[in-house]
Structures are given as structure tokens and as C-alpha cells.
């Protein structure tokens, strides 16, 4: 057990002696590399190696506002690859989601969207600069009004598919503004009869010309991304859950017309699988996404959390094809799949002052546990870790109204005493992380900051990474620069739907730290990310275990699959044991510390 370790010699011993000291003199955090993280309407911020080059990247989801897939260029520096790899909400018109007017500096018919920065949300603009324009635009909307029609004539109607249509004829210098009832994130279809040259039609903030006179505009309300191999090849794919038009998705005009996205990796980017692979959305207002093999058949399935409704579960029946299966009839504000023991994963659903655990058995789901929580308010996140070092996963239900620490005892969760594992009374976000690689799991919480585990049953608030009180937060830790120390990325805001979040990144430069080993697992076809696999590392008397996915603390998304082991004074590990999701094992012998190891199933 970790608590039985002898004092670490040298610098590690100094760290142990200074567990109650002021940490400012250690300078354990330095400036991070460059990363332009979009903070406007930031809803989720996560980690994934989306280009599969071995360096961990960042991604954001920002509702219908511009998000970013940020490629790690080394040294903790990131560059926006969103447009280059084809993952813009509308790849035909990158920049449409910037929701700003383009430069109207060349003749043409301009079509673009604006939102609250312009004072009125969800407006479609048609501007005729130096040329006339005519045509029609169709909207999936329950109402449509013309806000402005200067030097233009317009006529509203409804076609045989119950789509609201505006027909327009505009003279040079005309300006038309249309309000589709704030559902500009629903698909729109445009058809121009003039100008007759598509090159004179300019769409979005970047003023990109379409390939023809008829085209679609798609402004998606993205809420969560799950990265995994989902179509049967070796590439990484992405399932993106979208919202539901503020509840309007349940109206007859929208049923069956709003879809989630399945983006297939192409080697140098992504392309959308046009038929959706059988992923029906129904009336789900998507709030979270996970890939999980819930039934143990070797194929990853897709889970989608829905606002105010039970979740959706898509079972993969063959590579790239899914069927809907009944999910647990549980409504919560935070959901997460977790390996509580050696069996199939359990779905944890936290909401209404209670947490329930569900598991697939006998062709359906059954509830295996129901536990009270310390808060009657919403739970923001379920953080996973092994703070007591007994090689199973404990759970922290994070809530501003009160945190609840749940200890795993033989595969069943039990309420832990207040303050157990250093858990604060209430938080907006949290992550379990061995930030100094001494082999002891620490805790970072927002707003409390870094809480250090000294291995003797005590936890000390270091004062590092404290933030002002926040109504909502995102807390992530990953080794972005490859030096073995996990680096923080933290977002805080007034609430979950804040107009802007404050994002803080830092480089972990802790001078007093132990040795380390990082592991990337590559599983069998159908689950290349080895989601649900367990790796155990032994170094002397130190034994640790981690599960693929436990280090992913994005509240809504999934993609961080790396495993991290702090080794303290040990310069090598004696053994690594991997238990794969199908029950097979891989045993590796001694190897030096301070490296990233990739282990292939069956390799």
C-alpha cells in the first residue's frame, strides 16, 4: 500500500517535509505554450489525440458559436486545425459559425448569419452589393418574419413539406434581414435565380462561394464529442451530440430533421457519414456523449445524455451501424460510465439529490444501487480516481450545492466521511491527479485549488491554482508537453451557459517530483481505444491501477484515454499487467521509468 512507503530520498524527501510549506517558492507552475482557446459560449473543453500522432490535443464545443480543434504542435503549443481537417459545423462554408458580417468589398450576393453580438439573435442576412439578387430560402421554423427589406421585395409562405419559405427579389444595394424565431441552428436551404453565377454568391463570415445556385446552410448547436473508433477501420472517429432547439425538437416541424453527427477519420481529416449510420436522434436535447461497450460484445456503443429526459443508447450491431436500445429510465444532470469492478461497466446517473448505478444484464438494464447525495441541486460532474490506493475507482459527485465522496468497496459505492480524500464541501469542478508523480493521488478542485495528499491520511491546500468562485467550471489535466507531468487547463464562468468563460492554462514545472510511466493502450478491432481496459503497474512495494477513460474530466465529452502512473523514487517498474475488455491479459516485465509506453492487445 502507498501509505506504507518509506520516505522518499533526496528531492522527494524535501517535498514530503514541506507538505505544509508555502508552495509559491517552489514555482511549480510556469507559463504554457500558445493555444487560442475560444471562450465565447464555451460549453465543454476536452483532451483527445484527434490526429493520432501521440501528442494530446485540445478541443472545445461552444454551442452554435465557433469551437476549435487545437492540434498539439509540440512543447505545449497548439494551432487551430478545425477548418483544415474538415470539422467545421458546415464544412462547405467554414466561418459560417462566426456569426459576423463579412467584408462587403466585392460585388455579389452575400448570405450570412449574426447573433447576439449584433443585438438580435439568430438572424439571416441577404445583402446585394453591386448586383441584383433573387431566389428563396426555406427554414425549419414554426414562425418566420421579415425584420428588414430595404430596396427589396419579399413574400412569405409555407411549402408542401411544411417548410416556411421567403421569396425575395433585391436590387443592388438591398439589405434583407430575416428572423426564423431564433432557430438559426436548424438546417436552411437556399436557391438563387440571380445572380446566375455561383461565384457571385458569398456565404458566411469568410464569404465563400457555393458550388451551385442551390445550397444548404447548417449551423449546428454542438454540446459534446466522443472520440473513438466507430466504423470498423483503425482510424479515430467522432460522435457529436447536438442540442434540441431549446426544446423545439419535440415539435412536429422539427421531428426527424435534427441530427447528431458521426465524423469518420480519413487519415488527414474527417468527413461526415451522411446517413448517420442509423443514429436516430428522436427528441433528445443532447448534453453529453460517451463511447462504451455496455454489453461486452467487443463493439463500442454510443451513449447520449439528454436534457430533462432519459438518455439514448445506440448499440453497434456491426462496424459503423447502430440500433437504438432502451437505456435506463433515469434523468440526471451528470452521467458517466465507470468500471466499479471486473465486470461490465456501470452507468452512474446523478440527479435530484441521488445517484443511481445501472448495469446491463439479461438483455436489459437493472439498477444496482441508489445512494443519497449531499446536494439537492444539480451535480455538475462525476470525477473518478483512486485516492486511497486500493486499486479501484472511487467517485466524487461534484456540485456547488455540496460534494459527495463515494468510496468503492468491493464494487459497491459507499458514502465516505466529509473531507475524505481531501474533498472540499462544495465545488464547481474537480480532478484527481498525481501532479508531482510521488505515487499519491492529489485532488484539484475549483475554486479551492490544488489539494496535496501527503500519504499519511492528510491533505493540504497548497494555494496553487485557486480561482474566484464560479457558477460553472471545467477542470482538465494532461501531459501536453511530454515531460511526464500533467498540465492543467481550467475554465470558469458565471454559469453553464455563460456568454464567456475564463480559460487558464499552465505548465507543470514542479521541481520536486518523482519518476513516472505513461501508457497508451491499443485494443482489438471494435474497441481500438481499449475503453474499459485496466492497467496495473508494480514498482517495488508500490502498486497502482488505472482504467482507460478515468482521467477524462471533461464534463460532457470523451477522448482522453492516456494512463498516468507516478512512481516516486523508483527508476524502473518491475511489471505491467493489462486486463483487456475481453478478459485477456498482457504481462510485461521490467522497464525503465520516465517514458510513454504503447501496448497493443495481442502484440
Amino acid at each position: 500500500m502507498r501509505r506504507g512507503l518509506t520516505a522518499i530520498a533526496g528531492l522527494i524527501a524535501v517535498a514530503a517535509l514541506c507538505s505544509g510549506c508555502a508552495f509559491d517558492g517552489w514555482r511549480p507552475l510556469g507559463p504554457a505554450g500558445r493555444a487560442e482557446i475560444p471562450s465565447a459560449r464555451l460549453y465543454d473543453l476536452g483532451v483527445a489525440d484527434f490526429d493520432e500522432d501521440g501528442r494530446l490535443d485540445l478541443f472545445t464545443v461552444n454551442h452554435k458559436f465557433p469551437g476549435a480543434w487545437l492540434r498539439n504542435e509540440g512543447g505545449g503549443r497548439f494551432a487551430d486545425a478545425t477548418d483544415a481537417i474538415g470539422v467545421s459545423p458546415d464544412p462547405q462554408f467554414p466561418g459560417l459559425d462566426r456569426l459576423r458580417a463579412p467584408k462587403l468589398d466585392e460585388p455579389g450576393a452575400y448570405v450570412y448569419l449574426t447573433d447576439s453580438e449584433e443585438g438580435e439573435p439568430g438572424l439571416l442576412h441577404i445583402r446585394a452589393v453591386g448586383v441584383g439578387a433573387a431566389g428563396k430560402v426555406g427554414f425549419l421554423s414554426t414562425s418566420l418574419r421579415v425584420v428588414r427589406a430595404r430596396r427589396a421585395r419579399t413574400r412569405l409562405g409555407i411549402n408542401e413539406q411544411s417548410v416556411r419559405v421567403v421569396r425575395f427579389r433585391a436590387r443592388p444595394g438591398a439589405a434583407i434581414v430575416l428572423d426564423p424565431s431564433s432557430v438559426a441552428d436548424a438546417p436552411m436551404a437556399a436557391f438563387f435565380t440571380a445572380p446566375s453565377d455561383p461565384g457571385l454568391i458569398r456565404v458566411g463570415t469568410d464569404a465563400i462561394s457555393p458550388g451551385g445556385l442551390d445550397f444548404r446552410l447548417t449551423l449546428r448547436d454542438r454540446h459534446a464529442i466522443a472520440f473513438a473508433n466507430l466504423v470498423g477501420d483503425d482510424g479515430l472517429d467522432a460522435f457529436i451530440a447536438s442540442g434540441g432547439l431549446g426544446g423545439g425538437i419535440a415539435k412536429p416541424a422539427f421531428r426527424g430533421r435534427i441530427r447528431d453527427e458521426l465524423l469518420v477519420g480519413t487519415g488527414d481529416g474527417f468527413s461526415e457519414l451522411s446517413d448517420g449510420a442509423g443514429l436516430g436522434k428522436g427528441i433528445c436535447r443532447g448534453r453529453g456523449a460517451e463511447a462504451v461497450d455496455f454489453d461486452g460484445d467487443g463493439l463500442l456503443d454510443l451513449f447520449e445524455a439528454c436534457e430533462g429526459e432519459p438518455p439514448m443508447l445506440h448499440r453497434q450491431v456491426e462496424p459503423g451501424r447502430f440500433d437504438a436500445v432502451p437505456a435506463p429510465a433515469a434523468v440526471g444532470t451528470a452521467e458517466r460510465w465507470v468500471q466499479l469492478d471486473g465486470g461490465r461497466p456501470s452507468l452512474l446517473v446523478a440527479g435530484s439529490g441521488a445517484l443511481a448505478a445501472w448495469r446491463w444484464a439479461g438483455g436489459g438494464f437493472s439498477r444496482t444501487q441508489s445512494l443519497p447525495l449531499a446536494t439537492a441541486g444539480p451535480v455538475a460532474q462525476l470525477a473518478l480516481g483512486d485516492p486511497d490506493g486500493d486499486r479501484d475507482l472511487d467517485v466524487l459527485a461534484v456540485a456547488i450545492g455540496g460534494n459527495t465522496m463515494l468510496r468503492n468497496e468491493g464494487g459497491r459505492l459507499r458514502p465516505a466521511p466529509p473531507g475524505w480524500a481531501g474533498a472540499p464541501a462544495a465545488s464547481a469542478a474537480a480532478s484527481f491527479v498525481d501532479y508531482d508523480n510521488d505515487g499519491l493521488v492529489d485532488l484539484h478542485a475549483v475554486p479551492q485549488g490544488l489539494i496535496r495528499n501527503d500519504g499519511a491520511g492528510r491533505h493540504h491546500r497548497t494555494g496553487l491554482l485557486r480561482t474566484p468562485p464560479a457558477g460553472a467550471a471545467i477542470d482538465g489535466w494532461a501531459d501536453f508537453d511530454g515531460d511526464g507531468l500533467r498540465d492543467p487547463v481550467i475554465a470558469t464562468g458565471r454559469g453553464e451557459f455563460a456568454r464567456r468563460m475564463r480559460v487558464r492554462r499552465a505548465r507543470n514545472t514542479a521541481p520536486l517530483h518523482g519518476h513516472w510511466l505513461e501508457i497508451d493502450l491499443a485494443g482489438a478491432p471494435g474497441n481500438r481505444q481499449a475503453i474499459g481496459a485496466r492497467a496495473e503497474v508494480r514498482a517495488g512495494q508500490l502498486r497502482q491501477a488505472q482504467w482507460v477513460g478515468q482521467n477524462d474530466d471533461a464534463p460532457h465529452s470523451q477522448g482522453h484515454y492516456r494512463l498516468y502512473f507516478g512512481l516516486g523514487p523508483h527508476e524502473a517498474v518491475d511489471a505491467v499487467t493489462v486486463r483487456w475488455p475481453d478478459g485477456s491479459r498482457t504481462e510485461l516485465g521490467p522497464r525503465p521509468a520516465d517514458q510513454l509506453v504503447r501496448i497493443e492487445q495481442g502484440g
Side-chain angles (χ1 to χ4, degrees), residues 22-225:
F23 277 65
D24 292 343
W26 290 11
R27 300 177 183 263
L29 297 170
R34 180 178 178 275
E36 298 293 334
I37 298 175
S39 59
R41 308 286 185 175
L42 178 62
Y43 186 68
D44 206 5
L45 169 61
V47 176
D49 182 9
F50 59 72
D51 57 2
E52 299 187 283
D53 66 352
R55 293 192 292 258
L56 297 176
D57 310 306
L58 286 166
F59 66 92
T60 74
V61 285
N62 301 63
H63 301 285
K64 62 183 178 183
F65 297 83
W69 294 32
L70 300 164
R71 178 181 282 134
N72 189 337
E73 297 188 316
R77 298 182 302 276
F78 296 83
D80 191 347
T82 307
D83 294 347
I85 61 177
V87 295
S88 300
D90 192 330
Q92 183 181 7
F93 302 116
L96 182 69
D97 57 344
R98 295 194 182 99
L99 302 175
R100 295 194 306 271
K103 292 182 179 180
L104 307 174
D105 55 356
E106 296 183 14
Y110 291 80
V111 183
Y112 59 93
L113 292 157
T114 64
D115 211 281
S116 53
E117 287 88 350
E118 305 260 340
E120 295 181 86
L123 303 181
L124 179 73
H125 300 251
I126 302 172
R127 296 286 299 273
V129 178
V131 299
K136 61 183 179 180
V137 183
F139 298 86
L140 291 177
S141 174
T142 55
S143 66
L144 176 65
R145 71 184 180 96
V146 179
V147 177
R148 187 180 309 118
R150 179 169 56 86
R151 298 177 61 84
R153 289 182 296 168
T154 61
R155 180 162 55 93
L156 301 180
I158 302 177
N159 68 14
E160 58 274 12
Q161 286 83 36
S162 300
V163 174
R164 295 183 184 272
V165 177
V166 59
R167 290 173 169 81
F168 63 91
R169 183 169 295 278
R171 291 178 286 171
I176 301 171
V177 183
L178 305 171
D179 178 8
S181 300
S182 299
V183 291
D185 44 331
M188 293 166 278
F191 176 75
F192 276 73
T193 56
S196 59
D197 178 4
L200 291 175
I201 303 172
R202 311 183 193 282
V203 181
T205 303
D206 294 347
I208 296 173
S209 295
L213 296 177
D214 58 327
F215 51 92
R216 293 173 64 87
L217 301 173
T218 306
L219 189 64
R220 302 181 189 271
D221 183 17
R222 289 174 167 174
H223 283 166
I225 308 176

Side-chain angles (χ1 to χ4, degrees), residues 254-345:
F254 302 115
R255 287 189 179 177
R257 294 177 172 177
I258 306 301
R259 298 193 318 175
D260 296 319
E261 302 166 76
L262 181 56
L263 305 185
V264 178
T266 61
D268 56 357
F270 293 81
S271 62
E272 185 172 6
L273 197 62
S274 58
D275 66 356
L279 296 171
K281 186 169 178 60
I283 62 171
C284 176
R285 300 169 63 186
R287 285 294 182 268
E290 284 190 68
V292 59
D293 183 7
F294 74 89
D295 56 359
D297 66 353
L299 294 174
L300 287 176
D301 312 298
L302 286 171
F303 171 85
E304 182 172 1
C306 307
E307 175 76 13
E309 299 284 343
M312 294 190 68
L313 191 58
H314 305 284
R315 184 177 189 175
Q316 191 169 185
V317 293
E318 60 183 49
R321 301 300 303 177
F322 297 82
D323 282 344
V325 297
V331 179
T333 57
E335 300 87 359
R336 191 161 184 179
W337 291 86
V338 57
Q339 298 288 149
L340 292 177
D341 54 23
R344 289 176 180 166

Side-chain angles (χ1 to χ4, degrees), residues 221-531:
D221 183 17
R222 289 174 167 174
H223 283 166
I225 308 176
F227 290 91
N229 172 232
L230 299 168
V231 299
D233 57 13
D234 286 337
L236 190 70
D237 312 309
F239 171 70
I240 306 180
S242 65
L245 308 176
I249 193 172
K251 297 179 180 179
F254 302 115
R255 287 189 179 177
R257 294 177 172 177
I258 306 301
R259 298 193 318 175
D260 296 319
E261 302 166 76
L262 181 56
L263 305 185
V264 178
T266 61
D268 56 357
F270 293 81
S271 62
E272 185 172 6
L273 197 62
S274 58
D275 66 356
L279 296 171
K281 186 169 178 60
I283 62 171
C284 176
R285 300 169 63 186
R287 285 294 182 268
E290 284 190 68
V292 59
D293 183 7
F294 74 89
D295 56 359
D297 66 353
L299 294 174
L300 287 176
D301 312 298
L302 286 171
F303 171 85
E304 182 172 1
C306 307
E307 175 76 13
E309 299 284 343
M312 294 190 68
L313 191 58
H314 305 284
R315 184 177 189 175
Q316 191 169 185
V317 293
E318 60 183 49
R321 301 300 303 177
F322 297 82
D323 282 344
V325 297
V331 179
T333 57
E335 300 87 359
R336 191 161 184 179
W337 291 86
V338 57
Q339 298 288 149
L340 292 177
D341 54 23
R344 289 176 180 166
S346 296
L347 172 63
L348 303 185
V349 181
S352 302
L355 180 142
W358 299 78
R359 180 177 283 186
W360 177 267
F365 282 95
S366 60
R367 186 168 57 189
T368 59
Q369 275 196 273
S370 184
L371 297 163
L373 297 176
T375 178
V379 173
Q381 174 199 359
L382 297 172
L384 307 178
D386 182 20
D388 56 355
D390 62 354
R391 301 191 299 283
D392 59 20
L393 284 175
D394 307 306
V395 180
L396 176 60
V398 183
I400 293 175
N403 294 334
T404 305
M405 190 73 225
L406 300 170
R407 186 172 183 177
N408 188 340
E409 297 180 359
R412 296 186 64 82
L413 297 175
R414 310 289 186 192
W420 187 80
S427 305
S431 287
F432 289 103
V433 54
D434 181 1
Y435 86 100
D436 54 2
N437 286 334
D438 64 355
L440 303 167
V441 177
D442 311 298
L443 176 67
H444 178 260
V446 177
Q448 292 86 4
L450 195 58
I451 301 167
R452 186 170 182 271
N453 180 359
D454 71 359
R458 296 186 298 268
H459 296 82
H460 306 274
R461 296 195 180 188
T462 66
L464 296 169
L465 296 174
R466 286 181 301 184
T467 71
I474 303 167
D475 187 22
W477 289 75
D479 182 7
F480 294 117
D481 54 9
D483 65 354
L485 292 168
R486 293 169 67 180
D487 310 302
V489 55
I490 303 162
T492 56
R494 297 182 63 181
E496 189 177 33
F497 299 99
R499 289 176 59 87
R500 189 169 296 276
M501 300 281 275
R502 179 177 182 267
V503 180
R504 178 182 181 185
R505 293 181 59 235
R507 184 179 180 219
N508 187 346
T509 57
L512 307 175
H513 62 81
H515 295 283
W516 54 275
L517 187 74
E518 296 179 9
I519 297 176
D520 282 343
L521 296 180
N527 185 0
R528 291 295 291 166
Q529 285 65 48
I531 294 171

Side-chain angles (χ1 to χ4, degrees), residues 56 477-479 486 517-518 546 551 560 562-566:
L56 297 176
W477 289 75
D479 182 7
R486 293 169 67 180
L517 187 74
E518 296 179 9
Q546 289 206 355
N551 296 309
H560 188 189
R562 184 161 294 175
L563 307 181
Y564 301 89
F565 298 90

